[in-house]
Every structure is written in C-alpha cells, then in structure tokens.
Amino acid sequence: MQLGLIGLGKMGGNMAERLRLGGHQVIGFDFNAEAVQKLTESGNVGVSSLEDMAKKFDGRKAIWIMVPQGKPVDDTIAKLEPLLNKGDILIDGGNSNYKDSQRRHAEVTAKGFHFVDVGTSGGVWGLKEGYSMMIGGDKEPVGYLSPIFETLAPAKDKGWGHVGPAGSGHFVKMVHNGIEYGMMQAFAEGFTIMEKKEELDLNLAQISEIWRYGSVVRSWLLDLTADALSKNPTLDGLSAYVADSGEGRWTVFEAIDLNVSAPVITESLIRRIRSREENNFTDRMLAIMRNAFGGHAVKKD
Amino acid sequence: MQLGLIGLGKMGGNMAERLRLGGHQVIGFDFNAEAVQKLTESGNVGVSSLEDMAKKFDGRKAIWIMVPQGKPVDDTIAKLEPLLNKGDILIDGGNSNYKDSQRRHAEVTAKGFHFVDVGTSGGVWGLKEGYSMMIGGDKEPVGYLSPIFETLAPAKDKGWGHVGPAGSGHFVKMVHNGIEYGMMQAFAEGFTIMEKKEELDLNLAQISEIWRYGSVVRSWLLDLTADALSKNPTLDGLSAYVADSGEGRWTVFEAIDLNVSAPVITESLIRRIRSREENNFTDRMLAIMRNAFGGHAVKKD
Amino acid sequence: MQLGLIGLGKMGGNMAERLRLGGHQVIGFDFNAEAVQKLTESGNVGVSSLEDMAKKFDGRKAIWIMVPQGKPVDDTIAKLEPLLNKGDILIDGGNSNYKDSQRRHAEVTAKGFHFVDVGTSGGVWGLKEGYSMMIGGDKEPVGYLSPIFETLAPAKDKGWGHVGPAGSGHFVKMVHNGIEYGMMQAFAEGFTIMEKKEELDLNLAQISEIWRYGSVVRSWLLDLTADALSKNPTLDGLSAYVADSGEGRWTVFEAIDLNVSAPVITESLIRRIRSREENNFTDRMLAIMRNAFGGHAVKKD
Amino acid sequence: MQLGLIGLGKMGGNMAERLRLGGHQVIGFDFNAEAVQKLTESGNVGVSSLEDMAKKFDGRKAIWIMVPQGKPVDDTIAKLEPLLNKGDILIDGGNSNYKDSQRRHAEVTAKGFHFVDVGTSGGVWGLKEGYSMMIGGDKEPVGYLSPIFETLAPAKDKGWGHVGPAGSGHFVKMVHNGIEYGMMQAFAEGFTIMEKKEELDLNLAQISEIWRYGSVVRSWLLDLTADALSKNPTLDGLSAYVADSGEGRWTVFEAIDLNVSAPVITESLIRRIRSREENNFTDRMLAIMRNAFGGHAVKKD
C-alpha cells in the first residue's frame, strides 16, 4: 500500500527501504533534498513538498511523521491538515511524549481525521532485523495500517501490536526506554567492576561473548556490547559523556506521578545526568563541609 | 570422559543428564538416595559414597562439586582429598565466593591436586539450552576438562571460556548475577509503571511479547517474563517477597572495595532487602519525625 | 501594623498569635467559624467574610494567604482582587509551587497590586521559636512588610530574607523541603541499623540524646527525634506509612529539569512512595522472574 | 585525674588541652617530637616513649589511644600491654571498626586489663565545644573514666554515654558517620539545585544563613556551611573530589549484613566514590552501547 513518510533521516530512510522491499510504495519528504533524491533512486517516491505528497496518493492517505518530538510534530500536523480528506490517517512514529499524542489525537479526530501513535524501537538495525512497534489509537485506522506494521516488524505477526487507546503507543515506548536505561546501566556497572579488578586481568570482550550463550543476561544489548568490546576492548578514545533523550526522564516523572517507586530506572537517569556535570558543585560542597567540620584537606583545582 | 559429580539437585541432576546425552559418564553422589537412584536409572552411575565414587574412575579423577557455597564445599573437599591422586582435579561449579575459591585453589594445589572454579549460569533451562560457564584456574586442568565444558555449553565453542586465574570464574559469575539483579529490577519497575497506568488498561503479557522481537530490550529474561505473564498476567497469588543469594551482595561489596560506583546494581539489592522488611522501622521513624515537627498525622497500626 | 490573614489552621493560627504578641493586629478569616471565634477571643480581629476583612483596614491592605496550594490559592486571589486598591499586597505564605507564584505575580502585578511569595518553615513550633521565611518578590512590598517578617522570624534580623524575584521564596522553600527529606531519611536509616543490631541492645533514645551535644549530626531534627524516641522508644503503634507533600517531588522534577544529579533527595522521595505500596507489583515481578529462570520457590500470599 | 594519650595530632592535641583546662593531667606521646614538645609547653606532660608514659602514672593507668584505625591500634596495644598492671585501662578513641574493638576487648580482657571503645565526634571544634562520645565496654572501667568523659563532653552530663558492651561505641559512631554522609549529601544536592537555577540568581550564603534560624533543616552542619559559603560563595578553587574514611562503607556493609535497606546512606557513599572516578568506564560503556544500537554520536576525548 501507499504510505506518506515525512522525515527521511537515520530511522525514516531505513523504514522506507524496508517498506519498499515489502512491496509498499513510500511517498517521502524531507527538508534535506539529498535524502529525498536518495529515496527516489532507491525506487520509492521522493517529493519536494507536502502538497506534492498529497497528490501522489491514489486514495485514502496515511502519512507517517518521523520528525523530532515536540514543536516539529505539531508544525507538521498543522501543515498536513489542509491537505487531508475525512478519514485520512496521520501516524506519529517518533519519540513523542504520550500526553502530546493524547492531545493530538483529540485535536486531529475532532477534525474528522485519524491519529495513530507508534512507539518504534529498533534503531539503526531495523532495516535488517525489523522494528518493534507499540501502537496506540483507534481500532479502524490501526487495522487499516496493518500491512505496513506487518512489513516493518521483524515478522508478520511478531514485534508489533495495538496496545491501547490514543497515547498508549508512546506511553509503552517511553517505559521501554526507561527499562533500556536500567539494563544498560546494569551492564555498564558490571563491566566496570570487572575492568577495575586488575589482578584478574579479565578480558571483557571474551566474557561478553561467553555470556551471549546460555547465561541469564543474554540479550540483544549484550550482543551489541560484545561486538563493540571486540572492536575496542578498552573503550579508548571515548568520552565519558552520556546523552539522554526525553523518554528516560518522562518515565521517571510518570513513575512519581503514579506513585510507583522505581529506583533503578531513576538512578540510571541520574547517572547519565551526572556524566555531564563538570567541576561538580555538589562534590565541592561536600569537600568544603568536610573541611569545615573536620579540618580535612581539600584538593585544589 | 568420566566426571564425578557431587550434588544431584535441580542443577546437578540436569547437568548429569546433559553430559550423558553428550557421551560422557557421570559418577554421581548425593545424600539423597533417591537422587542417586534416579541417576543410575537414567544411564549414569550413581554411587552411595565418595569412596565408591573414587573407585569407579578408570584413571585420572575429575570431580565436580555442586553443593551450597560455604562450609559444604570445604567439607566436601576435605572428604575428597584422601581419595585423590596427584594431578586429580576438583571443580567447584556452585555459587562460591571467589575469595573462597582463591583460598581453596591455594590449599588444594599445595597438596598436589588441581582446583578449577566454574561460574555456571543457566538455571533450570540448562539441560535443554546448555549452560554458560566462566572458568577460573590453571591452564592444564581447564584444558583437560574441555570435553566436559563443550558438552555442557550451548554449543561446542560458545558459552564457555577460561577467563583467568583461580577465582576468576566465580568472580565473573558474581558480577553476572549483579547485572542480572539490575536487569530484573529494570524490567520489574517498567512493568509496574504500566500496570499502574490504569486509564490505558495495558495488557502486560501482550506488551512483553511485542518487545521480544526487534526491540532494544529483547533478552532471555524478557522471553521468560512474557511466558510467565501469559500464564498469570496479574501475578495473582504471588507474595511480594524477593530472596537474594549471596552473589548480589558480594557484587556490591566488591564494587565498594574497588571504588567503583555502581548505583543500579546496589539499588537492586537494596530493593530486594526492602521487600522482606515488615512494619518497616525506617518508615515509622519518618512518620514520627513528620509528626514531631509538623504535627502531621500518623497512621496507627 | 495590620495584616489580613486567610487560613487560621495549624500554621495560620499560631502565626496570628505570634504577630499579636509582637504588637501587630491580625484581621483573620477562615471558613471554620470556630477558628475565627478563637482568633477574636485571643485579641486579634476575626471576620466572617473577605469583604469584612477589607473594611477593617485603616489604610494599605496587606493580606497573607495561608491555604492549601493549588486551586484554593487561585480562588482566594480571585475573590480578593475586587476588594483591593492599587498598591495593596497579597502574600502567599503556603507551600505553593514556585511556577504558580511566578504566574500569580505576573497576573496580580498586571492589575496594579503586589504579590509576594513566602516560603515558611517552622511547623507547629513556629509560635514559640519563630518561623524561617524565604521571601520572593519586588523590593518595595517586601520592604513594607518587614515589620511582619521581623516579628514572625526567630529574631528581628535572623531567619528571614528577601532571596530574589517572584517565585524565589517558594523555590527556596521547595529545595529546603527536599533537603529535609534527605536528612530525615538519613536519620531514619541510621536508627534502623542500630535497632536491628540486636546483639548490642542499643537504646535509641539514649543515643539520640548523646548526639544532640557535640556531634556532627546535631540538629533540630535530632532534637525532635530524641524527644519522640524518649516517649516511644520502639515506635509502637505507628504505621510504616509516610506521606509526602508536593515539595519533595517538585524538587526531584526541578533537579532533573536543571540537569542536576540529586540521588539522595530523589531516593528519599522514592522511599516514601515505597512505604505506601502494598502487595508491591515490582517485587512480585521479581519473584516470578526468579522462579522462571531458576526454579526458585515463590512465596504464596 | 591522669590520662595517658597516644597520638597528639589534630584531634588528640585538642583533647589534651580540653582535659588540662578541666583539671586533668595528660601524659602524652606522639612519634612527632614537636607535638610532644608542644604538649609539655601547654602545661601537660609530654613523654618520649611509652615506657616513660607508664612511669609517670601515680596509680592505675588509663591510656587513650588516638591513632589511625587498623594496624596502628593493634601495634600500640601490643607495645602497651607489657607496661600495664592488672586492671589498667586501654581506651580506643579513634575511628576503629567495631569488630576490631570487639576482638581487642576479648584479647585485652583475657590478659587482665580493660578495654573501652569510644566513638568520638566533634572534629576540630571539640576543644571549644566539647566532644560527643559514644562509649562501649564494661561498666567498671567506663565508670572509672567518667571524670574524663565529663570534661571532654560539651557539658558534664551531656553529649556522652555508655551505650553498650564492647564495640558498641564504635558501632554507634560508625552509624553516626553514615548519617552524616546522608545529611551532607542532602545539603550539597539542595545547594546545587539552587546554584543551577541561574534565572533566580540566588545567594547561597544568604539562604544558608536564613535557614539557620527557625527552619526544619537547622543544624550544626548548616552553621558550618553558612560560614563556609560566606567566605567562598562560589566554592572557587575547590576540587570536586570527596574522600571517604572507612566508616561510611562499614555502615553500608553493616546495613546489608543486617538486611536493612538504607538507600540514602548508600547513595551518599556511592556519590563520594563517583567523585573520584576519572574518565568513567561505566559512562564510556553507556556511550558505546548507545552508539551500537542507535547510531548515536559519541563524544571523543
């Protein structure tokens, strides 16, 4: 079937290709003309404007928005609405806050269109391995889009599902990312403990490879970690700096709002924040307090 | 080859069967006569004493100890030593503290025998899927035992390895379990957040099944979780009580001793401890303090 | 000077009395007629409506609002505005979110009135010991109100200050409460460790009393704790249930928004949340996972 | 009365002076001859060897050991024992591990002497303000020493007490320090949140001064913090590096051994450890994982 796709970056570009290979036609737009050109060359349909996109559809329009969360999504929706007919479908496949998706669903639906939120996991590996998709929204449009989901997913009936009403897709994806933070931090701590046990001279790449088979911690994250460690066992040249996207902090906020105690997901976020603090004020406060009551020496910069 | 096996419980029994299927002969002992009987019936060799076991070996003895960590391991070694010849091998495949393994290696080696420590992961699934084994000790005995490891592992050359000197196997297994605690806690928190988001009425079993394919959190733990949730989606009848074996706390102690900050593994342990505290004194202290300074009401038992 | 006071509860009632003793006249209103009556009997001026209150002022009106944060504050402001003259002052002395105070300041100021936000600490002890006040807002009204602050504070020039622009008072009070959470949790954990060290049979009341003099942890919280423990050393009859007001969670949200890693304040909040979770779902998830991979027994309810 | 004192450093020197002012005679030894000389000049009795010290006593000997915990304490006891008579008293006033104190008590007592463990808090301020002392050991020697405790304490009957059997003094002091870690971290986090709220341009020195009077967080630590901030409001020149002595980590180990969940004290320790980690391996692991699954850019050193 035909699918409009706005945003042909790292994720969008790969998704378009997987859809094409699955027999669909992607009508794709991006502000980056080169990305549009590349889409056309791959056998899909690149367009230079949203108006163009609208004209390429033979019938009912379904347009997948894959742009940074927040204002870009609202802006895109605002530009698309005048080009839609009753019953057309907008899909937000990005990392939006689920509350935004609930609001957008209400707004878009009030105008006679449909809105579907899709939490999409799979990163740069999705083209090859398929995407995991958690889908929120109304039954009819989700059903209509199922050929798309069946192709994007790792298998026709695996790795995707309609999880609940509007916002549910992004809510579940948010929690997914919170869990991901915790798993990553657990692995990172464990490998650090082994790395610091210098007397045993452990080979982290070897150990991660062993664990991939038969262990309780075997996982896709471990597969990737083993691969990364085999290429750079001492993590040379990497900066100890960890970014965080919105979803980790939203998960923490949500847990607190729901009165769920979630120390591990929360600590994982806090540690990422910590990685970006330079000349840490908290630690300098501690140093000056120790000096004040105990006369303990302080290190000078 | 022949392998002595002491401890025919949940783990040991399954290992014996996997070894038999792989063409080895297990000479097995357990204080539980029924377990010995079952071993014999399965086609391996059950014995009623360690002396018996020693006599069943055609040549060099290799005896795998699979008993609870601590004193039982020391007691077993003490009983075995008089039955050994120079060059014979003792293997501790249980969840011993790596410091004990280092000590035992020194003691056993001083007497002319070998000692190999094997951290073994795989739980009740090992018979079918194979065990992940992290092996510490000297090169010669580890090499001698490789046919055993090749059979127990998920594949001949996967899921096992000689990771370092004496104690390394149990050290790496200890860290493995620390990571496992963190991953489990991350999943448990995430599912709880979804469970408490009542307005979305999410189906946890469905979501865990979706995540198994293509998502970043896909993992063996998730496979098991999906299966468990499909059978008991609301966790009815389960008590909110989580035991911990020694390895989680040892990981935390080791991290602190090595000056590695490991908040997530540590919090995972703390939460397990918390699950077992009743009529929590800390919380009652907080309640009485709030009352003392703010006149806030306290709940009475 | 004259001060209007809306809300004659635990905090408000005591403040009125401290102001009266300091030579001021409080014109007080509460929906609870008994509280108003009590105020009149104490020598202040109780009124039965906000209109009445407005009439009692000889000149410029300054009205201190001491009601629950959120809608009650907005409602009160809305009712008061028609009764004010240009230059009159509204003071919010409750536990409002500082963002609300910033908004209210803008709205009230646009209408020609003043708005001052006062974070007030001191609890039920303020009447006797004075209140600590952190004040946000414009310079002129804060200066005008200084006789009030000088009386409410523990000493004329101690325990109060104009800390910054609108919202600053409530921001600083919010952080104050976050710190308070951390201090309380630290004490509560320490006393629990001592309580559980049964072999030493420690007397917690005695120890808290010792620490009050000369130790590094001496503090007002400890004074109160020592008093509480002397009356109920085993915390009998208290429920392990800890409420939290908004300020702890706002502090955590703010820390994350500011990219400040604040693990201790955050954990203190998480533990309070945990104290209210019954039949914890997270722990039941852990129990079922342990059962799934290791065959570990689960406790049944 | 007469008191031997071994260790005339920061703590010991001040204690000797406070005892002298209280009418006692301190017979003091230190490996640093200058410290001994200074003691003599102050009016106490400096000695150049432990043998000398023993000779200076008129009757029953009571010798306070104030040296670094661990081997130095054992070494000092070994040197003293030949110089003691039955019934003489050794006091360990340093920061020893309570398990060492329990062992030493048993060993010293078996030889006919007494051993008293005193957890001593007060830091460099003790000379002026007195020391808080938590005392473990047998009743008779503790009673005998009470004139010493009454002088060292902030007041005759305040700030000291016999808290339990051998080891109790150091156990309680250990927990005291754990609480101290938590309080310090809570303050440090709170001040950091205010420092990072740049739009409000808060004056941390002013705020800490306000809080000293009437607030819930008023405490000696806050008094010292206010003083330190008044001298160096931006903590210029301080390194974000926080040492930890043994007692924080012992508290964490003890909590885990006792199955007490103590997240805040534990996190306080973890954060101190974190302050000393450079080019953090954990964070580099996270960075490389993010890159591996999401193609997220990593910062290069």
Side-chain angles (χ1 to χ4, degrees):
Chain A
M1 59 185 281
Q2 287 184 309
L3 184 77
L5 180 59
I6 298 171
L8 301 171
K10 212 158 47 179
M11 283 288 279
N14 280 344
M15 290 171 64
E17 182 62 9
R18 188 168 174 97
L19 286 167
R20 189 189 65 79
L21 293 169
H24 300 285
Q25 185 191 58
V26 173
I27 309 165
F29 172 78
D30 198 292
F31 286 114
N32 179 339
E34 208 173 322
V36 173
Q37 174 67 17
K38 211 174 131 196
L39 184 78
T40 304
E41 285 165 8
S42 76
N44 272 314
V45 180
V47 293
S48 57
S49 72
L50 300 186
E51 289 74 15
D52 262 10
M53 179 183 284
K55 287 179 199 147
K56 298 285 188 190
F57 277 93
D58 299 326
R60 188 178 185 181
K61 287 189 277 293
I63 302 179
W64 186 295
I65 301 167
M66 206 69 185
V67 304
Q69 66 95 11
K71 194 166 177 301
V73 177
D74 282 317
D75 290 350
T76 304
I77 292 174
K79 283 182 204 151
L80 283 172
E81 283 175 342
L83 308 171
L84 300 181
N85 298 313
K86 298 281 168 206
D88 284 350
I89 307 171
L90 297 182
I91 305 123
D92 180 2
N95 281 328
S96 293
N97 189 304
Y98 81 96
K99 292 177 187 173
D100 285 333
S101 300
Q102 289 177 326
R103 170 182 55 80
R104 286 166 189 148
H105 175 270
E107 293 167 358
V108 167
T109 303
K111 292 169 185 159
F113 316 125
H114 293 289
F115 183 85
V116 172
D117 55 289
V118 182
T120 314
S121 181
V124 292
W125 297 79
L127 171 54
K128 189 177 149 217
E129 309 205 355
Y131 299 89
S132 185
M133 286 167 294
M134 308 129 229
I135 303 161
D138 300 318
K139 202 166 172 185
E140 190 280 332
V142 172
Y144 177 80
L145 292 166
S146 49
I148 296 296
F149 299 133
E150 290 171 356
T151 300
L152 286 174
K156 193 175 172 185
D157 59 349
K158 284 189 196 310
W160 72 277
H162 184 191
V163 298
S168 301
H170 285 142
F171 185 89
V172 172
K173 176 56 166 38
M174 174 193 81
V175 174
H176 167 279
N177 281 30
I179 294 171
E180 176 191 311
Y181 276 41
M183 290 174 69
M184 288 173 70
Q185 179 71 22
F187 273 121
E189 292 177 6
F191 279 103
T192 304
I193 292 168
M194 294 192 290
E195 200 261 344
K196 294 300 178 216
K197 191 70 175 176
E198 293 176 7
E199 69 196 74
L200 296 182
D201 194 24
L202 300 169
N203 179 329
L204 304 190
Q206 179 207 16
I207 290 165
S208 57
E209 186 63 28
I210 292 172
W211 285 351
R212 293 181 62 206
Y213 303 94
S215 88
V216 175
V217 302
R218 62 196 194 254
S219 54
W220 190 59
L221 269 172
L222 180 64
D223 295 343
L224 298 176
T225 303
D227 182 59
L229 283 169
S230 74
K231 292 171 183 157
N232 184 359
T234 54
L235 306 185
D236 276 352
L238 273 166
S239 189
Y241 180 100
V242 195
D244 76 281
S245 61
E247 292 175 312
R249 39 190 80 205
W250 296 338
T251 309
V252 171
F253 293 158
E254 191 71 28
I256 294 173
D257 282 341
L258 290 170
N259 285 306
V260 171
S261 62
V264 154
I265 292 177
T266 305
E267 279 298 322
S268 301
L269 173 67
I270 288 176
R271 268 303 292 264
R272 291 194 177 195
I273 291 173
R274 176 64 186 84
S275 81
R276 303 189 301 257
E277 291 177 316
E278 293 184 12
N279 195 20
N280 196 275
F281 194 82
T282 304
D283 293 340
R284 286 189 286 147
M285 282 292 301
L286 292 175
I288 212 168
M289 280 193 243
R290 290 186 85 238
N291 176 261
F293 70 76
H296 300 290
V298 294
K299 276 183 82 170
K300 297 291 180 181
D301 261 349
Chain B
M1 58 185 282
Q2 288 184 306
L3 183 78
L5 179 58
I6 299 171
L8 302 171
K10 211 160 48 182
M11 283 288 279
N14 280 345
M15 289 171 66
E17 182 62 10
R18 188 168 174 99
L19 285 167
R20 190 188 64 79
L21 292 169
H24 302 284
Q25 185 191 58
V26 173
I27 309 164
F29 173 78
D30 199 292
F31 285 114
N32 179 340
E34 206 174 325
V36 173
Q37 174 68 17
K38 210 175 133 195
L39 184 77
T40 304
E41 285 166 7
S42 77
N44 272 313
V45 180
V47 292
S48 57
S49 72
L50 300 185
E51 289 73 17
D52 264 11
M53 179 183 284
K55 288 179 199 147
K56 299 284 188 192
F57 277 93
D58 300 324
R60 187 178 187 182
K61 288 187 278 294
I63 302 178
W64 185 296
I65 301 165
M66 207 69 187
V67 303
Q69 67 95 11
K71 193 164 176 302
V73 177
D74 283 317
D75 289 351
T76 304
I77 292 175
K79 283 181 204 154
L80 284 171
E81 283 175 343
L83 308 170
L84 300 181
N85 299 313
K86 299 278 165 208
D88 283 352
I89 308 170
L90 297 181
I91 305 122
D92 180 2
N95 280 329
S96 293
N97 188 303
Y98 80 96
K99 291 176 186 172
D100 285 333
S101 299
Q102 289 177 326
R103 170 180 56 79
R104 287 167 188 149
H105 174 269
E107 292 167 357
V108 167
T109 302
K111 293 169 185 159
F113 316 126
H114 293 289
F115 184 85
V116 172
D117 55 287
V118 182
T120 313
S121 180
V124 292
W125 297 80
L127 170 55
K128 188 177 150 216
E129 308 205 356
Y131 299 89
S132 185
M133 285 165 294
M134 310 129 227
I135 303 160
D138 300 317
K139 202 168 172 182
E140 191 280 331
V142 172
Y144 178 80
L145 292 166
S146 48
I148 296 295
F149 299 132
E150 290 171 358
T151 300
L152 286 173
K156 194 177 171 182
D157 60 347
K158 285 191 197 309
W160 70 279
H162 184 191
V163 299
S168 301
H170 284 143
F171 185 89
V172 172
K173 176 56 166 34
M174 174 194 81
V175 174
H176 166 279
N177 281 30
I179 294 172
E180 176 191 310
Y181 276 41
M183 290 173 69
M184 287 172 69
Q185 179 70 23
F187 273 120
E189 293 177 6
F191 280 102
T192 305
I193 293 168
M194 294 192 292
E195 200 262 345
K196 294 300 177 217
K197 191 70 176 177
E198 293 175 6
E199 69 195 74
L200 297 182
D201 194 22
L202 300 169
N203 180 331
L204 304 190
Q206 178 206 19
I207 290 165
S208 57
E209 186 63 27
I210 291 173
W211 285 351
R212 292 182 64 205
Y213 304 94
S215 88
V216 175
V217 302
R218 63 196 193 253
S219 55
W220 189 60
L221 270 172
L222 181 64
D223 295 344
L224 299 176
T225 303
D227 182 59
L229 285 168
S230 74
K231 293 170 183 157
N232 184 359
T234 53
L235 307 184
D236 276 353
L238 273 165
S239 188
Y241 179 99
V242 195
D244 76 280
S245 60
E247 294 177 308
R249 37 190 80 203
W250 296 338
T251 309
V252 170
F253 293 157
E254 191 71 29
I256 293 173
D257 282 341
L258 291 169
N259 285 305
V260 170
S261 62
V264 154
I265 292 177
T266 306
E267 279 299 324
S268 301
L269 173 67
I270 289 176
R271 268 304 290 264
R272 290 194 177 195
I273 291 173
R274 177 65 185 83
S275 81
R276 303 189 301 257
E277 292 177 315
E278 292 182 13
N279 194 18
N280 196 276
F281 194 82
T282 304
D283 294 340
R284 286 188 286 148
M285 282 291 302
L286 293 175
I288 211 169
M289 281 193 244
R290 291 186 83 238
N291 176 260
F293 70 75
H296 300 290
V298 294
K299 275 183 83 170
K300 298 291 179 181
D301 259 349
Chain C
M1 59 186 282
Q2 289 185 305
L3 184 77
L5 179 59
I6 298 170
L8 302 171
K10 210 160 47 178
M11 283 287 280
N14 279 345
M15 290 171 65
E17 181 61 9
R18 190 169 172 97
L19 286 167
R20 190 189 64 78
L21 292 169
H24 302 284
Q25 186 191 58
V26 172
I27 308 164
F29 172 79
D30 199 291
F31 285 113
N32 179 340
E34 206 174 324
V36 173
Q37 174 67 15
K38 212 175 131 195
L39 184 77
T40 304
E41 284 165 8
S42 77
N44 272 313
V45 181
V47 293
S48 58
S49 71
L50 300 186
E51 290 72 16
D52 262 10
M53 179 182 285
K55 288 180 198 147
K56 299 284 187 193
F57 278 93
D58 300 326
R60 186 178 185 182
K61 287 187 278 297
I63 302 177
W64 185 295
I65 300 164
M66 207 68 185
V67 303
Q69 67 97 9
K71 193 164 176 303
V73 177
D74 283 317
D75 289 351
T76 304
I77 292 175
K79 284 181 204 152
L80 283 170
E81 282 176 343
L83 309 170
L84 300 182
N85 298 314
K86 299 278 166 206
D88 284 351
I89 308 171
L90 297 181
I91 305 123
D92 179 3
N95 280 329
S96 294
N97 188 302
Y98 81 97
K99 291 177 187 173
D100 285 334
S101 300
Q102 290 178 326
R103 168 180 57 78
R104 287 168 189 148
H105 175 269
E107 292 168 358
V108 167
T109 302
K111 293 170 185 157
F113 315 125
H114 293 289
F115 183 85
V116 172
D117 56 289
V118 182
T120 314
S121 180
V124 293
W125 296 79
L127 170 55
K128 189 177 149 216
E129 310 206 357
Y131 299 89
S132 185
M133 285 166 294
M134 311 130 226
I135 304 160
D138 300 319
K139 204 169 172 180
E140 192 279 332
V142 173
Y144 177 80
L145 293 167
S146 47
I148 296 295
F149 298 133
E150 289 171 358
T151 300
L152 286 174
K156 193 177 172 181
D157 59 349
K158 285 189 194 313
W160 71 278
H162 184 189
V163 298
S168 301
H170 284 143
F171 184 89
V172 172
K173 177 58 165 38
M174 173 193 81
V175 174
H176 167 279
N177 281 30
I179 294 171
E180 176 191 311
Y181 275 41
M183 291 174 68
M184 289 173 69
Q185 178 72 21
F187 273 120
E189 292 178 7
F191 279 102
T192 304
I193 293 168
M194 294 191 292
E195 200 261 346
K196 293 298 177 219
K197 191 70 176 179
E198 293 175 8
E199 69 196 74
L200 297 181
D201 194 23
L202 300 168
N203 180 329
L204 304 190
Q206 178 206 18
I207 290 166
S208 57
E209 186 62 28
I210 292 173
W211 286 351
R212 292 182 63 206
Y213 304 93
S215 87
V216 174
V217 302
R218 62 196 195 253
S219 55
W220 189 61
L221 269 174
L222 180 64
D223 295 344
L224 299 176
T225 302
D227 183 59
L229 283 169
S230 74
K231 293 170 184 158
N232 185 359
T234 53
L235 307 184
D236 276 351
L238 272 164
S239 188
Y241 180 100
V242 196
D244 75 282
S245 60
E247 292 176 313
R249 37 190 80 204
W250 296 337
T251 309
V252 170
F253 294 157
E254 191 71 27
I256 293 173
D257 282 341
L258 290 170
N259 285 306
V260 170
S261 62
V264 154
I265 293 177
T266 305
E267 279 297 323
S268 301
L269 173 66
I270 288 176
R271 268 303 290 264
R272 291 195 177 193
I273 291 174
R274 177 65 186 82
S275 80
R276 304 189 300 258
E277 291 176 317
E278 292 182 14
N279 194 19
N280 196 275
F281 195 82
T282 304
D283 294 340
R284 286 189 285 149
M285 282 292 301
L286 293 175
I288 211 169
M289 280 192 242
R290 290 186 84 238
N291 175 261
F293 69 75
H296 300 289
V298 294
K299 275 182 83 169
K300 297 292 179 180
D301 258 349
Chain D
M1 58 184 282
Q2 289 185 306
L3 184 77
L5 180 58
I6 298 171
L8 302 171
K10 213 159 46 182
M11 283 287 280
N14 279 345
M15 290 172 64
E17 182 62 9
R18 187 168 175 96
L19 285 167
R20 191 189 63 78
L21 293 168
H24 302 285
Q25 184 190 57
V26 172
I27 309 164
F29 172 78
D30 198 294
F31 286 114
N32 179 341
E34 208 174 322
V36 174
Q37 175 67 18
K38 212 175 131 195
L39 183 77
T40 304
E41 285 166 6
S42 77
N44 271 315
V45 180
V47 293
S48 58
S49 73
L50 300 187
E51 289 74 16
D52 263 10
M53 178 182 286
K55 288 180 197 146
K56 299 286 188 193
F57 277 94
D58 299 326
R60 187 179 187 183
K61 288 188 278 294
I63 303 178
W64 186 295
I65 301 165
M66 207 68 186
V67 304
Q69 68 95 9
K71 195 167 174 303
V73 177
D74 283 317
D75 290 351
T76 303
I77 292 174
K79 283 181 203 152
L80 284 170
E81 283 176 340
L83 308 170
L84 300 182
N85 299 313
K86 299 278 165 205
D88 285 351
I89 308 169
L90 298 181
I91 305 122
D92 180 3
N95 281 328
S96 294
N97 188 304
Y98 81 97
K99 291 177 186 172
D100 285 334
S101 299
Q102 289 177 326
R103 169 181 56 79
R104 286 166 190 149
H105 176 269
E107 292 167 357
V108 167
T109 302
K111 293 169 184 158
F113 317 125
H114 293 289
F115 184 86
V116 172
D117 56 288
V118 182
T120 314
S121 180
V124 294
W125 296 81
L127 171 54
K128 188 176 150 220
E129 310 205 358
Y131 299 90
S132 185
M133 284 166 296
M134 310 129 227
I135 303 161
D138 299 318
K139 203 169 173 182
E140 190 280 332
V142 172
Y144 178 81
L145 293 166
S146 48
I148 296 295
F149 299 133
E150 290 172 356
T151 301
L152 286 174
K156 195 178 168 180
D157 58 349
K158 285 189 195 310
W160 72 277
H162 185 188
V163 298
S168 301
H170 285 143
F171 185 90
V172 173
K173 176 59 166 34
M174 174 194 81
V175 174
H176 166 279
N177 281 30
I179 294 172
E180 176 192 311
Y181 276 41
M183 291 174 69
M184 288 173 69
Q185 179 71 23
F187 273 120
E189 292 177 6
F191 280 103
T192 304
I193 293 168
M194 293 192 291
E195 199 262 346
K196 294 299 178 219
K197 191 69 177 178
E198 294 176 6
E199 69 196 74
L200 296 181
D201 194 22
L202 300 169
N203 180 331
L204 303 190
Q206 178 206 19
I207 290 165
S208 56
E209 187 62 29
I210 292 173
W211 285 351
R212 291 182 64 207
Y213 303 94
S215 87
V216 174
V217 301
R218 64 195 193 254
S219 55
W220 190 58
L221 269 174
L222 181 64
D223 296 344
L224 299 176
T225 303
D227 183 59
L229 284 169
S230 74
K231 293 170 183 158
N232 185 359
T234 53
L235 306 185
D236 276 351
L238 272 166
S239 187
Y241 180 100
V242 195
D244 75 281
S245 61
E247 291 175 314
R249 38 190 80 202
W250 296 337
T251 309
V252 170
F253 294 156
E254 192 70 29
I256 293 173
D257 282 341
L258 290 169
N259 284 307
V260 170
S261 61
V264 153
I265 292 177
T266 305
E267 279 298 322
S268 301
L269 172 67
I270 288 177
R271 268 303 290 263
R272 290 195 177 193
I273 291 173
R274 177 64 186 83
S275 81
R276 303 189 301 258
E277 292 177 317
E278 292 183 13
N279 194 21
N280 196 276
F281 194 82
T282 304
D283 293 340
R284 286 188 286 146
M285 281 292 302
L286 293 175
I288 211 168
M289 280 192 245
R290 290 186 84 238
N291 176 259
F293 70 75
H296 299 290
V298 293
K299 274 183 82 171
K300 296 292 181 180
D301 259 347

